[in-house]
């Protein structure tokens, strides 16, 4: 299977501006791999301290954008991993997550991690089919 790196604007440009060596999305055969990306402000590309629910919503909107660029969609997601700096955010993230996956949600892991270098508390990645 051939690996296809897919540019996703404006996320690819924002990653490059910060010199982050990551592709937002890679397609290989019938699988799509979406990287965890910080919750970039959709209008400015800035990363700033926001309420956890808003961070999760931005993340899931970015995932939708990445999946669409690769010819996939949220209803084709097989597995998500949520990386969060505080288990106390579990319920708030679940409330947002349930809006994006209202029925037959994909498999998921919720992993508590140490804080990142930036002012955010959650990142989400996923694997989907096309």
């Amino acid at each position: 299977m051939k690996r296809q790196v897919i540019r996703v604007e404006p996320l690819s440009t924002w990653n490059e501006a910060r010199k982050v060596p990551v592709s937002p999305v890679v397609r290989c055969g019938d699988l799509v791999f979406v990287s965890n990306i910080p919750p970039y402000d959709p209008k400015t590309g800035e990363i700033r301290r926001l309420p956890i629910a808003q961070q999760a919503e931005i993340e899931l909107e970015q995932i939708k954008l990445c999946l669409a660029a690769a010819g996939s969609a949220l209803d084709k997601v097989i597995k998500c991993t949520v990386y969060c700096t505080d288990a106390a955010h579990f319920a708030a993230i679940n409330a947002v997550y349930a809006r994006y996956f209202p029925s037959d949600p994909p498999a998921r892991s919720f992993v508590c991690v140490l804080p990142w270098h930036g002012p955010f508390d959650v990142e989400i990645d996923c694997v989907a089919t096309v």
Side-chain angles (χ1 to χ4, degrees):
M1 288 186 279
K2 184 178 178 188
R3 180 179 75 103
Q4 178 187 7
V5 173
I6 299 170
R7 285 193 66 82
V8 180
E9 293 303 339
L11 302 176
S12 294
T13 296
W14 293 338
N15 282 342
E16 290 164 359
R18 288 177 172 79
K19 302 200 183 317
V20 180
V22 64
S23 298
V25 62
V26 174
R27 182 174 167 178
C28 189
D30 289 337
L31 292 177
V32 175
F33 301 85
V34 177
S35 297
N36 50 328
I37 301 166
Y40 290 127
D41 181 290
K43 293 179 181 146
T44 67
E46 295 301 314
I47 303 170
R48 54 193 167 88
R49 179 70 55 207
L50 297 167
I52 193 64
Q54 192 174 357
Q55 291 181 54
E57 187 170 279
I58 289 170
E59 290 281 326
L60 289 161
E61 287 296 323
Q62 290 174 169
I63 285 174
K64 277 177 48 176
L65 181 66
C66 289
L67 291 168
S72 188
L74 285 176
D75 64 347
K76 295 181 178 183
V77 173
I78 300 166
K79 171 78 165 62
C80 284
T81 304
V82 177
Y83 304 91
C84 187
T85 60
D86 190 340
H89 296 313
F90 187 78
I93 291 171
N94 272 349
V96 174
Y97 189 90
R99 289 196 333 255
Y100 285 82
F101 299 103
S103 62
D104 299 324
R108 186 185 84 180
S109 299
F110 188 99
V111 181
C112 290
V113 297
L114 293 173
W116 286 279
H117 60 281
F120 59 96
D121 302 296
V122 65
E123 287 190 334
I124 303 170
D125 68 17
C126 74
V127 178
T129 61
V130 288

